[in-house]
Amino acid sequence: MVLVQVNRRIMCKVMMLSLSIIVLFSSTTYCVNLKPVSHIKSATFVSEYFEVGPGTIAAKTLLDIEFPKGHIGVKSFDAELVDEDGNSVPLYETYLHHWFAIRYFENITMSHNIEKYPDPFKAITFKRNEGTCQGYILPHYWGFGGETRGTSTNIPDPFALEVGNHKKIPHVLKEKWMFNIMAIDTRGVHDRKGCTECRCNLFNLPKDFYNVTKGINGQLLSPNYKGGLFCCQDNFQCKLRNGFLGPKRRLALRYKLRWVNWKEYQVPVKFYILDSTDRVRSNGSKIIHECQVEYTILGIGDNDSSHVQKANIPMEKGGYLIYATAHMHTGVINATLYGKDGRILCSTTPKYGKGKEAGNEEGYIVGMSVCYPKLGSIKIKDGEILTVESRYENKFRTGVMGHFYIYLAEQLPG
């Protein structure tokens, strides 16, 4: 400690001497404190490539993606779609419906040559986020869609999402990460907007599609299901304009993480996803969640009005709100999170593109605003009922989503 203090005094004197020439005629003498080297590390990775052709769907699960090793605190996780030359792909060529980063544990006693297993998922266990949806519905820790380039994922200091703590991982398991990606190539399609909304009548569905395809609830899809995730399965084809021909190409997800080595001064946050379609009910003292993930807006009535979808969701465990935003689709007006007393915890609004370059595509949602409340100003109580509200234009849309993302800290820095 003495050596550090002496070195700082010497450095200060040297800096003062160097600066004395500049401030020769000033009556004020000051010392410049050099900023320490940033404690935040970063790395950029590129996922495994996948192929798309005009009008085709790529719905891929990529296991064991590259991820920083060790006991760390993740500060941000950003991603975008790129081609083989590393160029950003605009949404009007290939629409990034979503990318989700999912945490899982692999059983090291079973996982040798896991790719050769008839069902490799039998060797893994998902470790979902703290959100309220049932089972493995919306289990991811990071992920957006077309708005990904313009939406901040940064968690402010000294908060971070803790991962890689081996004390919390059984010795027969290994922590890994996977991507779930859906990309819709819209080059040459008959109805670009309809394809990005996964409207069933625009795709080459199998003849027995409604007789064999099960929805979120495990039941066969209704013939009234007009569009959404289940009509955008891997290699499904959206209708092309007559005579259109175009080349296939290989794309990948380029992603950048920022993190810190976990230290005692880091304050952990927990990540929650709250779904505006959650059909909450109770069975005695037990709360049952039934997240639908997506919904359809019929567009009945006044098109100048807005369509509101909301859910009242009890939070078993609360905390201080550190970050909030929402994953939404084109047509959104805003998304709002309310506390039990009706107070607004966060209201997030979209940014729509105005040009042709990637990240500013005209007519597409290219970003969502983020709420960073003043430290300690918003506390959600244990058991508090929150209201998630998503507001869209009242026009016919399928596959609409309204997912609120929040980071909560159980304690504040001392």
Side-chain angles (χ1 to χ4, degrees), residues 1 95 108 132 134 139 191 200 257 322 338 355 392 395:
M1 179 63 72
Y95 179 73
I108 59 178
T132 56
Q134 70 277 17
D191 181 350
C200 300
L257 285 102
I322 305 301
Y338 297 93
Y392 278 81
K395 298 178 181 179

Side-chain angles (χ1 to χ4, degrees), residues 254-287:
R254 181 169 61 203
Y255 57 106
K256 178 180 180 179
L257 285 102
R258 296 168 60 253
W259 74 94
V260 294
N261 291 328
W262 194 261
K263 303 293 183 182
E264 290 183 359
Y265 61 81
Q266 296 296 328
V267 179
V269 291
K270 292 184 177 181
F271 178 60
Y272 295 76
I273 297 179
L274 307 178
D275 184 9
S276 64
T277 68
D278 191 354
R279 299 172 181 173
V280 182
R281 57 188 176 89
S282 61
N283 183 3
S285 60
K286 184 179 181 181
I287 301 297

Side-chain angles (χ1 to χ4, degrees), residues 11-137:
M11 184 177 294
C12 185
K13 289 181 179 179
V14 172
M15 292 297 295
M16 286 177 63
L17 180 61
S18 301
L19 289 168
S20 63
I21 299 174
I22 301 174
V23 296
L24 182 62
F25 299 104
S26 172
S27 60
T28 303
T29 304
Y30 59 94
C31 173
V32 176
N33 289 319
L34 296 181
K35 292 183 179 180
V37 176
S38 175
H39 62 291
I40 298 178
K41 302 178 181 181
S42 67
T44 299
F45 307 96
V46 177
S47 77
E48 176 185 339
Y49 281 86
F50 53 89
E51 188 176 78
V52 293
T56 60
I57 303 293
K60 305 296 183 182
T61 297
L62 308 179
L63 293 169
D64 195 15
I65 64 171
E66 291 186 275
F67 198 90
K69 305 297 183 184
H71 187 189
I72 63 172
V74 179
K75 302 290 292 180
S76 65
F77 194 135
D78 301 308
E80 67 164 340
L81 208 59
V82 296
D83 63 19
E84 284 189 289
D85 295 322
N87 299 313
S88 300
V89 178
L91 294 171
Y92 53 80
E93 290 184 3
T94 302
Y95 179 73
L96 182 57
H97 183 278
H98 70 260
W99 66 270
F100 295 153
I102 302 170
R103 185 184 184 191
Y104 69 98
F105 294 148
E106 187 176 279
N107 190 321
I108 59 178
T109 64
M110 298 173 59
S111 61
H112 185 63
N113 294 326
I114 188 173
E115 294 82 3
K116 296 181 180 179
Y117 276 58
D119 184 2
F121 288 96
K122 289 185 177 180
I124 67 176
T125 302
F126 290 102
K127 177 62 176 176
R128 60 163 299 123
N129 61 66
E130 303 291 333
T132 56
C133 289
Q134 70 277 17
Y136 295 115
I137 303 299

